[in-house]
């Protein structure tokens, strides 16, 4: 489903060329649960961004569902992100002026879905993520765990095949972190491919496959 | 994304940042209000002058002695001419079908006295037709009687102000006044009426034209007022006047005919130019508002960098992000314009109440222009920030907290 070959990503920092990714090869099957581990600066997030089509590799081939994603135009990539990929971020990235339900609704709105359909989907998601009583609350009125649950609901509302999580528990206490991991794992059990970047070896062990990265290479 | 969703999103975005929204509305409102108010004032001034000229009388032509090449503008008051315009010239004009009425006018100044009171007053010598030609109206008594214009009678009609100063509260009709060295019986008082063409009709005494010529010992006329039979007949009447006078003056065209239209259109042009100039100056404040909008929207873009990154991660293409930001600046501009219109209407309503004589009103084109220009400014000055937002690198945008 996900096929990466010979991926290189170089950032220019001042005079120095930093190789964030060097000759990365990776294949992921539908429904896998992968933990990407490694020290900071090892290229974990860059790898995730490239899989999520937020960043383009300087060299190499990336195929998603037999479509060569690296050949797509910006707008086509946006469409792929919209329908196939869900992002969960360390800092949640909720829109502060929108309520929990409006944040969850946002991808549906951007996709131009009818309001009635949107409402029923958002209601279902609020229920499924235990946020029923929090629909009207703005992000600053929610706890960290609740915020991340809103973010996960938003990431999955379009029913993507892949969920990419960048340190989803990095900003949460242990209890709500565990809560969030369980939610993500439940999604994975339903067949969603889950790729998670984490520092935490304990979380890494829960995954069906661990990838360790050092200096932009998968070791 | 649906249009109503774009609008909804933009409204939420603008109400989310109150200070900057208020600033933008204020700038736009000031710009729009100043455009509308200033053009209204200019338009009012134009209307005022036009009204004043119209009150001279309808379809009016003025025949002045002396040749002048100017069209419109001030008529030459002291035309140097070999031949005077005479009463016979005036009467000769009466035979054309395109001319309805003529009123020859002689002007002079003489002391007018009643009992112990004496005053220097402008004396107009004319005929009964002046009443219709100049759209006069009587306060008391009647106007000069119709009759042979070449034979003067010892009657006079006095202006409102003259009546007030000489007779105060007494009724003048029937009384005899002395004008220069002759005695005239007052037969009427003009109704109160404003100035026209620089002559205060309240401060004159009107006597038959032949009496005035005798009084001032002259055979020439100051001018001849001619009323054409219709608006369409004005050019024909003008030609007739020139032909008749040329014939009577040995083939020399030594008079000037000023049509009211020519004067009016000159003033009209001047005031339209003035209005446009003022509107142009006001438009500068609109463009200043535009620059402020750009500034504020640029701040909005950097304030909402992570939000833009998020929208991109959620699959919003560049076009969509651009339209979100454009919609926001266009909406704020329109809201500011609406606010400005409210201010403008209020100010003009207040002005109209303070100066009821001044015909101030908002020209429709100024309304349309103000709204159109504000929308345009919003879009033009919103375009750069919107483009910047659309081009943000999502990875970098999201990496900020």
């Amino acid at each position: 489903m996900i096929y990466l070959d010979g991926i290189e990503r170089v950032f220019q920092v001042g005079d120095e060329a930093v190789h964030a990714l060097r000759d990365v090869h990776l294949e992921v099957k539908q429904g896998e649960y992968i933990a990407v581990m490694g020290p900071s600066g090892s290229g974990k997030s860059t790898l995730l961004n490239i899989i999520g089509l937020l960043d383009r590799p300087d060299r190499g081939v990336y195929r998603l569902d037999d479509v060569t994603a690296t050949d797509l135009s910006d707008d086509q990539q946006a469409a792929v992100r919209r329908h196939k990929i869900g992002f969960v971020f360390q800092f949640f990235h909720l829109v502060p002026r929108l309520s929990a339900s409006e944040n969850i609704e946002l991808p549906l709105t951007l996709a131009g879905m009818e309001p009635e359909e949107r409402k029923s989907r958002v209601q279902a998601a609020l229920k499924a993520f235990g946020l029923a009583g929090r629909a009207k609350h703005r992000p600053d009125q929610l706890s960290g765990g609740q915020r991340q649950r809103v973010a996960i609901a938003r990431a999955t509302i379009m029913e993507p095949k892949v969920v990419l999580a960048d340190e989803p528990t990095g900003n949460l206490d242990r209890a709500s972190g565990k809560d969030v991991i369980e939610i993500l794992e439940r999604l994975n059990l339903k067949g969603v491919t889950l790729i998670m970047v984490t520092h935490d070896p304990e979380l890494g062990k829960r995954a069906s496959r661990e990838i360790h990265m050092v200096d932009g290479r998968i070791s | 994304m649906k249009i109503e969703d774009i609008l909804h999103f933009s409204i939420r975005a603008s109400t989310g940042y109150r200070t900057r929204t208020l600033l933008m509305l204020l700038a736009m409102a000031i710009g729009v209000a100043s455009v509308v108010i200033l053009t209204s004032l200019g338009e009012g001034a134009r209307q005022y002058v036009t009204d004043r000229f119209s009150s001279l009388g309808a379809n009016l032509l003025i025949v002045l002695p002396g040749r002048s090449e100017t069209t419109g503008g001030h008529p030459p008051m002291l035309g140097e001419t070999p031949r005077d315009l005479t009463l016979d010239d005036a009467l000769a004009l009466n035979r054309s079908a395109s001319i309805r009425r003529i009123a020859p006018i002689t002007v002079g100044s003489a002391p007018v006295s009643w009992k112990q009171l004496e005053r220097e007053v402008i004396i107009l010598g004319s005929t009964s037709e002046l009443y219709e030609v100049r759209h006069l109206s009587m306060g008391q008594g009647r106007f000069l009687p119709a009759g042979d214009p070449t034979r003067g009678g010892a009657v006079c009609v006095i202006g409102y102000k003259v009546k007030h100063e000489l007779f105060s509260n007494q009724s003048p009709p029937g009384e005899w006044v002395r004008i220069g060295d002759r005695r005239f019986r007052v037969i009427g008082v003009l109704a109160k009426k404003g100035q026209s063409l620089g002559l205060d009709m309240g401060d004159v005494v009107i006597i038959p034209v032949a009496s005035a010529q005798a009084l001032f010992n002259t055979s020439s006329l100051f001018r001849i007022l001619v009323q054409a039979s219709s608006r369409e007949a004005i050019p024909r009447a003008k030609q007739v006047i020139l032909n008749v006078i040329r014939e009577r003056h040995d083939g020399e065209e030594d008079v000037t005919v000023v049509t009211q239209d020519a004067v009016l259109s000159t003033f009209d042009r001047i005031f339209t130019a003035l209005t446009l100039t003022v509107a142009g100056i006001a438009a500068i404040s609109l463009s200043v508002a535009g620059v402020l909008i750009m500034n504020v929207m640029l701040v909005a873009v950097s304030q909402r960098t992570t939000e833009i990154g998020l929208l991109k991660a959620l699959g919003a293409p560049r076009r969509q992000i651009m339209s979100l930001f454009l919609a926001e600046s266009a909406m704020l501009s329109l809201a500011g314009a609406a606010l400005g219109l409210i201010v403008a209407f209020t100010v003009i309503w207040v002005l109209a109440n303070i100066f009821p004589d001044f015909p101030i009103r908002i020209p429709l084109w100024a309304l349309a222009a103000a709204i159109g220009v504000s929308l345009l400014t919003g879009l033009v000055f919103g375009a750069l920030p919107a483009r910047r937002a659309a081009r943000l690198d999502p990875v970098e945008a999201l990496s900020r907290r």
Side-chain angles (χ1 to χ4, degrees):
Chain A
M1 181 208 186
I2 292 171
Y3 173 85
L4 296 166
D5 191 29
I7 296 291
E8 303 259 336
R9 185 73 176 101
V10 184
F11 293 109
Q12 203 68 35
V13 183
D15 293 341
E16 214 180 327
V18 178
H19 286 259
L21 294 176
R22 300 173 202 251
D23 192 25
V24 168
H25 179 89
L26 179 67
E27 279 178 69
V28 180
K29 289 189 202 58
Q30 178 66 45
E32 269 194 279
Y33 176 10
I34 296 176
V36 183
M37 321 266 300
S40 53
S42 61
K44 311 184 295 284
S45 293
T46 306
L47 179 65
L48 207 68
N49 288 334
I50 283 176
I51 293 174
L53 294 174
L54 284 179
D55 201 0
R56 282 176 187 268
D58 294 309
R59 216 170 300 129
V61 180
Y62 168 27
R63 279 208 293 276
L64 178 66
D65 282 344
D66 298 322
V67 176
T68 309
T70 31
D71 292 346
L72 298 177
S73 71
D74 280 358
D75 283 1
Q76 285 168 323
Q77 288 200 344
V80 172
R81 283 201 295 275
R82 190 154 63 228
H83 295 290
K84 295 190 175 172
I85 297 167
F87 284 95
V88 178
F89 305 97
Q90 181 180 0
F91 298 111
F92 325 127
H93 288 315
L94 300 178
V95 181
R97 58 176 183 279
L98 299 181
S99 69
S101 62
E102 283 169 324
N103 264 293
I104 297 172
E105 195 181 355
L106 198 52
L108 305 178
T109 313
L110 290 173
M113 192 180 276
E114 292 299 328
E116 302 82 50
E117 166 104 41
R118 295 198 311 240
K119 289 279 170 289
S120 65
R121 280 221 210 177
V122 170
Q123 282 310 317
L126 283 168
K127 225 169 173 185
F129 291 96
L131 292 161
R134 295 274 177 269
K136 294 272 179 282
H137 291 226
R138 274 188 287 112
D140 55 5
Q141 299 164 315
L142 297 172
S143 72
Q146 284 166 341
R147 287 185 213 183
Q148 195 60 299
R149 272 185 278 155
V150 171
I152 296 171
R154 183 181 63 192
T156 54
I157 194 85
M158 291 289 285
E159 294 166 357
K161 288 181 171 176
V162 186
V163 169
L164 305 173
D166 194 349
E167 308 253 14
T169 60
N171 223 25
L172 300 175
D173 57 55
R174 280 192 74 83
S176 40
K178 193 163 165 274
D179 197 28
V180 162
I181 290 299
E182 276 165 5
I183 288 172
L184 289 172
E185 285 174 353
R186 271 207 300 280
L187 286 169
N188 175 245
L189 286 177
K190 286 184 201 155
V192 174
T193 310
L194 176 62
I195 303 178
M196 180 165 67
V197 166
T198 180
H199 269 107
D200 189 344
E202 216 174 292
L203 286 182
K205 287 200 186 76
R206 298 173 70 118
S208 53
R209 188 169 139 202
E210 278 180 65
I211 295 173
H212 289 272
M213 291 195 73
V214 180
D215 283 341
R217 282 182 221 279
I218 294 176
S219 56
Chain B
M1 197 169 177
K2 293 174 183 305
I3 289 176
E4 62 261 35
D5 288 329
I6 292 180
L7 290 181
H8 183 72
F9 190 88
S10 313
I11 291 171
R12 292 297 296 265
S14 31
T15 48
Y17 302 89
R18 294 248 162 76
T19 321
R20 104 183 150 95
T21 302
L22 284 180
L23 267 179
M24 230 163 118
L25 289 182
L26 187 69
M28 219 9 138
I30 290 172
V32 167
S34 55
V35 166
V36 172
I37 291 171
L38 289 175
T39 46
S40 298
L41 287 176
E43 190 67 15
R46 194 182 66 83
Q47 195 65 45
Y48 183 76
V49 171
T50 311
D51 287 353
R52 280 301 152 108
F53 270 90
S54 309
S55 75
L56 266 181
N59 308 328
L60 196 67
L61 294 96
I62 303 164
V63 185
L64 311 156
R67 195 67 220 280
S68 163
E69 295 297 333
T70 54
T71 53
H74 282 293
M77 291 298 184
L78 297 166
E80 289 292 328
T81 174
R83 284 174 204 78
D84 288 333
L85 209 49
T86 64
L87 193 50
D88 289 336
D89 289 335
L91 296 175
L93 296 177
N94 231 349
R95 292 175 208 127
S96 167
S98 52
I99 292 172
R100 182 178 291 164
R101 296 187 182 88
I102 58 150
I105 290 180
T106 310
V107 175
S109 173
V112 175
S113 62
W114 185 67
K115 294 190 176 161
Q116 260 64 52
L117 295 169
E118 185 180 278
R119 197 164 175 278
E120 190 80 10
V121 178
I122 291 175
I123 311 294
L124 282 184
S126 192
T127 62
S128 61
E129 295 194 335
L130 181 69
Y131 186 71
E132 294 291 335
V133 172
R134 284 295 298 265
H135 282 203
L136 299 174
S137 49
M138 301 305 294
Q140 249 183 310
R142 54 195 174 79
F143 199 67
L144 297 178
D148 184 358
T150 55
R151 292 183 46 195
V155 291
C156 68
V157 173
I158 62 175
Y160 177 85
K161 204 161 152 191
V162 176
K163 179 246 161 190
H164 190 75
E165 289 185 355
L166 287 184
F167 294 91
S168 66
N169 290 328
Q170 296 166 67
S171 174
E175 298 291 334
W176 287 84
V177 292
R178 179 169 285 277
I179 302 175
D181 53 358
R182 286 155 191 262
R183 274 157 53 83
F184 291 81
R185 194 161 59 85
V186 178
I187 56 171
V189 180
L190 291 174
K192 205 171 178 177
K193 201 183 178 188
Q195 289 201 342
S196 53
L197 263 189
L199 189 61
D200 185 353
M201 288 305 278
D203 204 11
V204 293
V205 170
I206 304 172
I207 60 176
V209 63
S211 308
Q213 286 184 327
L215 184 67
F216 299 120
N217 193 23
T218 173
S219 62
S220 68
L221 293 176
F222 174 60
R223 56 180 73 167
I224 307 170
L225 299 183
V226 177
Q227 190 180 28
S229 53
S230 68
R231 194 177 175 81
E232 291 70 42
I234 291 174
R236 223 169 340 120
K238 181 174 179 176
Q239 203 49 54
V240 166
I241 294 166
L242 291 175
N243 290 343
V244 170
I245 301 292
R246 192 190 299 121
E247 206 173 288
R248 294 179 55 83
H249 288 190
D250 306 327
E252 274 220 58
E253 201 176 287
D254 57 359
V255 291
T256 302
V257 179
V258 179
T259 61
Q260 192 189 358
D261 285 8
V263 178
L264 257 183
S265 67
T266 305
F267 272 96
D268 212 54
R269 276 203 300 277
I270 293 170
F271 274 93
T272 305
L274 199 78
T275 306
L276 288 177
T277 312
V278 174
I281 294 167
I284 293 172
S285 67
L286 259 184
S287 59
V288 171
V291 173
L292 191 82
I293 282 182
M294 179 153 73
N295 218 335
V296 166
M297 285 308 290
L298 282 174
V299 172
V301 169
S302 55
Q303 248 179 355
R304 276 148 61 188
T305 303
T306 52
E307 182 185 322
I308 294 161
L310 171 79
L311 290 176
K312 290 202 156 188
L314 293 179
R318 282 183 181 188
R319 225 174 336 101
Q320 206 167 40
I321 289 167
M322 231 179 123
S323 50
L324 281 176
F325 276 84
L326 273 184
E328 194 172 327
S329 56
M331 228 180 44
L332 285 171
S333 313
L334 278 184
L339 207 68
L341 286 184
I342 292 172
V343 172
F345 273 102
T346 314
V347 167
I348 281 167
W349 182 79
V350 169
L351 282 179
N353 276 304
I354 297 174
F355 308 104
D357 286 343
F358 193 66
I360 182 169
R361 69 182 70 93
I362 298 174
L364 215 60
W365 62 266
L367 273 189
I371 294 173
V373 168
S374 70
L375 184 58
L376 197 74
T377 352
L379 288 177
V380 167
F381 288 96
L384 180 76
R387 235 169 69 109
R388 177 172 287 188
R391 293 194 166 192
L392 273 178
D393 176 20
V395 175
E396 207 173 306
L398 282 168
S399 67
R400 296 197 210 166
R401 287 180 62 177

PDB file of all heavy atoms in Angstrom, chain B residues 99 107 116 154 157 186 230 282 309 319:
ATOM      1  N   ILE B  99     -40.408  83.257 -30.437  1.00  0.00           N
ATOM      2  CA  ILE B  99     -40.231  84.086 -29.245  1.00  0.00           C
ATOM      3  C   ILE B  99     -41.578  84.350 -28.616  1.00  0.00           C
ATOM      4  O   ILE B  99     -42.515  84.788 -29.288  1.00  0.00           O
ATOM      5  CB  ILE B  99     -39.538  85.416 -29.608  1.00  0.00           C
ATOM      6  CG1 ILE B  99     -38.088  85.122 -30.028  1.00  0.00           C
ATOM      7  CG2 ILE B  99     -39.570  86.384 -28.434  1.00  0.00           C
ATOM      8  CD1 ILE B  99     -37.371  86.318 -30.586  1.00  0.00           C
ATOM      9  N   VAL B 107     -31.290  99.893 -16.685  1.00  0.00           N
ATOM     10  CA  VAL B 107     -30.916  99.888 -15.276  1.00  0.00           C
ATOM     11  C   VAL B 107     -30.247 101.201 -14.914  1.00  0.00           C
ATOM     12  O   VAL B 107     -29.461 101.749 -15.691  1.00  0.00           O
ATOM     13  CB  VAL B 107     -29.957  98.718 -14.960  1.00  0.00           C
ATOM     14  CG1 VAL B 107     -29.483  98.801 -13.526  1.00  0.00           C
ATOM     15  CG2 VAL B 107     -30.640  97.399 -15.198  1.00  0.00           C
ATOM     16  N   GLN B 116     -40.064 111.619   4.798  1.00  0.00           N
ATOM     17  CA  GLN B 116     -38.724 112.068   5.160  1.00  0.00           C
ATOM     18  C   GLN B 116     -37.642 111.043   4.801  1.00  0.00           C
ATOM     19  O   GLN B 116     -36.476 111.301   4.950  1.00  0.00           O
ATOM     20  CB  GLN B 116     -38.659 112.345   6.669  1.00  0.00           C
ATOM     21  CG  GLN B 116     -38.781 113.792   7.036  1.00  0.00           C
ATOM     22  CD  GLN B 116     -40.132 114.329   6.653  1.00  0.00           C
ATOM     23  OE1 GLN B 116     -41.153 113.741   7.007  1.00  0.00           O
ATOM     24  NE2 GLN B 116     -40.184 115.446   5.932  1.00  0.00           N
ATOM     25  N   ALA B 154     -46.450 107.017 -14.868  1.00  0.00           N
ATOM     26  CA  ALA B 154     -45.819 107.388 -13.607  1.00  0.00           C
ATOM     27  C   ALA B 154     -46.213 106.421 -12.505  1.00  0.00           C
ATOM     28  O   ALA B 154     -46.754 106.806 -11.484  1.00  0.00           O
ATOM     29  CB  ALA B 154     -46.193 108.818 -13.236  1.00  0.00           C
ATOM     30  N   VAL B 157     -43.377  99.629  -9.201  1.00  0.00           N
ATOM     31  CA  VAL B 157     -43.527  98.455  -8.335  1.00  0.00           C
ATOM     32  C   VAL B 157     -42.250  98.392  -7.502  1.00  0.00           C
ATOM     33  O   VAL B 157     -41.148  98.536  -8.023  1.00  0.00           O
ATOM     34  CB  VAL B 157     -43.671  97.177  -9.185  1.00  0.00           C
ATOM     35  CG1 VAL B 157     -43.665  95.941  -8.306  1.00  0.00           C
ATOM     36  CG2 VAL B 157     -44.942  97.231 -10.021  1.00  0.00           C
ATOM     37  N   VAL B 186     -47.020 104.191  -6.359  1.00  0.00           N
ATOM     38  CA  VAL B 186     -46.724 102.769  -6.093  1.00  0.00           C
ATOM     39  C   VAL B 186     -47.983 101.958  -6.368  1.00  0.00           C
ATOM     40  O   VAL B 186     -49.058 102.268  -5.837  1.00  0.00           O
ATOM     41  CB  VAL B 186     -46.280 102.559  -4.638  1.00  0.00           C
ATOM     42  CG1 VAL B 186     -46.015 101.068  -4.372  1.00  0.00           C
ATOM     43  CG2 VAL B 186     -45.047 103.381  -4.343  1.00  0.00           C
ATOM     44  N   SER B 230     -40.503  77.650 -26.566  1.00  0.00           N
ATOM     45  CA  SER B 230     -40.323  76.337 -25.943  1.00  0.00           C
ATOM     46  C   SER B 230     -38.818  76.088 -25.822  1.00  0.00           C
ATOM     47  O   SER B 230     -38.015  76.843 -26.355  1.00  0.00           O
ATOM     48  CB  SER B 230     -40.968  75.241 -26.790  1.00  0.00           C
ATOM     49  OG  SER B 230     -40.260  75.109 -28.001  1.00  0.00           O
ATOM     50  N   ALA B 282     -11.021  62.208  -1.676  1.00  0.00           N
ATOM     51  CA  ALA B 282     -11.585  61.271  -0.699  1.00  0.00           C
ATOM     52  C   ALA B 282     -11.168  59.841  -1.022  1.00  0.00           C
ATOM     53  O   ALA B 282     -10.977  59.025  -0.129  1.00  0.00           O
ATOM     54  CB  ALA B 282     -13.099  61.391  -0.686  1.00  0.00           C
ATOM     55  N   GLY B 309      -1.414  25.854   7.973  1.00  0.00           N
ATOM     56  CA  GLY B 309      -0.747  24.564   7.831  1.00  0.00           C
ATOM     57  C   GLY B 309      -1.717  23.422   8.058  1.00  0.00           C
ATOM     58  O   GLY B 309      -1.739  22.433   7.321  1.00  0.00           O
ATOM     59  N   ARG B 319      -6.000  27.090  -3.827  1.00  0.00           N
ATOM     60  CA  ARG B 319      -7.106  27.945  -4.265  1.00  0.00           C
ATOM     61  C   ARG B 319      -8.091  28.200  -3.115  1.00  0.00           C
ATOM     62  O   ARG B 319      -8.566  29.308  -2.914  1.00  0.00           O
ATOM     63  CB  ARG B 319      -7.826  27.266  -5.419  1.00  0.00           C
ATOM     64  CG  ARG B 319      -8.153  28.154  -6.583  1.00  0.00           C
ATOM     65  CD  ARG B 319      -8.726  27.353  -7.745  1.00  0.00           C
ATOM     66  NE  ARG B 319      -8.352  25.955  -7.775  1.00  0.00           N
ATOM     67  CZ  ARG B 319      -9.129  24.935  -7.363  1.00  0.00           C
ATOM     68  NH1 ARG B 319     -10.313  25.187  -6.856  1.00  0.00           N
ATOM     69  NH2 ARG B 319      -8.717  23.695  -7.450  1.00  0.00           N
TER      70      ARG B 319
END
